[in-house]
Amino acid sequence: MSGGCNADGCHVVGSAGRVYISTEDLDLTGTVTGTDTGNSPETSFNNIKAIPGAKVSLSLKGRIKYRTTTDATGAFTLQKVKANEYTLKVARKGYKGHKQSYEMEQKDVSSLDITLSKK
């Protein structure tokens, strides 16, 4: 058989035409917040606030595949992310960077909540 499909079982013997396998690329959403330790000696609380302008990226083997910036509410969306294992990075001036492994699946994608700490 000939054709451009390289997936197992893409072409079915005895059938007219081709069987196409497709995966639905999904959006990955989330929110970035930051903690600010109170300066008063009487308080030891963390004040959590949205972080606008944080850079969010997904890298594959050291190359950035998806990137965006958080909006005024700290929210972000990485659009049409393909299933794979990535490195997720979040950075904003004045805050410690965040880095983690992230596996994107094509089902049950949960929104991410990331909290950065002040430097």
Side-chain angles (χ1 to χ4, degrees):
M1 281 183 229
S2 64
C5 181
N6 61 2
D8 290 337
C10 180
H11 302 318
V12 179
V13 177
S15 296
R18 293 182 179 178
V19 174
Y20 293 97
I21 299 170
S22 66
T23 60
E24 184 179 340
D25 299 334
L26 300 176
D27 293 348
L28 176 61
T29 61
T31 304
V32 178
T33 56
T35 59
D36 218 354
T37 304
N39 293 329
S40 170
E42 298 86 34
T43 61
S44 59
F45 65 91
N46 286 332
N47 183 17
I48 298 175
K49 61 181 181 176
I51 304 295
K55 308 239 185 266
V56 181
S57 66
L58 283 178
S59 299
L60 182 63
K61 297 179 183 174
R63 299 187 72 195
I64 295 174
K65 295 293 184 179
Y66 305 92
R67 73 174 88 196
T68 192
T69 303
T70 58
D71 66 13
T73 67
F76 68 88
T77 301
L78 294 166
Q79 297 181 336
K80 298 182 179 179
V81 178
K82 296 188 180 304
N84 217 324
E85 291 184 31
Y86 296 97
T87 299
L88 171 71
K89 291 183 183 179
V90 181
R92 177 72 164 98
K93 187 176 181 176
Y95 291 87
K96 294 177 186 174
H98 175 84
K99 181 179 177 182
Q100 74 178 62
S101 296
Y102 180 78
E103 183 174 355
M104 180 66 173
E105 297 181 0
Q106 296 312 110
K107 59 182 177 160
D108 302 327
V109 178
S110 298
S111 182
L112 297 175
D113 292 318
I114 299 163
T115 303
L116 302 179
S117 299
K118 279 272 199 188
K119 283 187 177 180

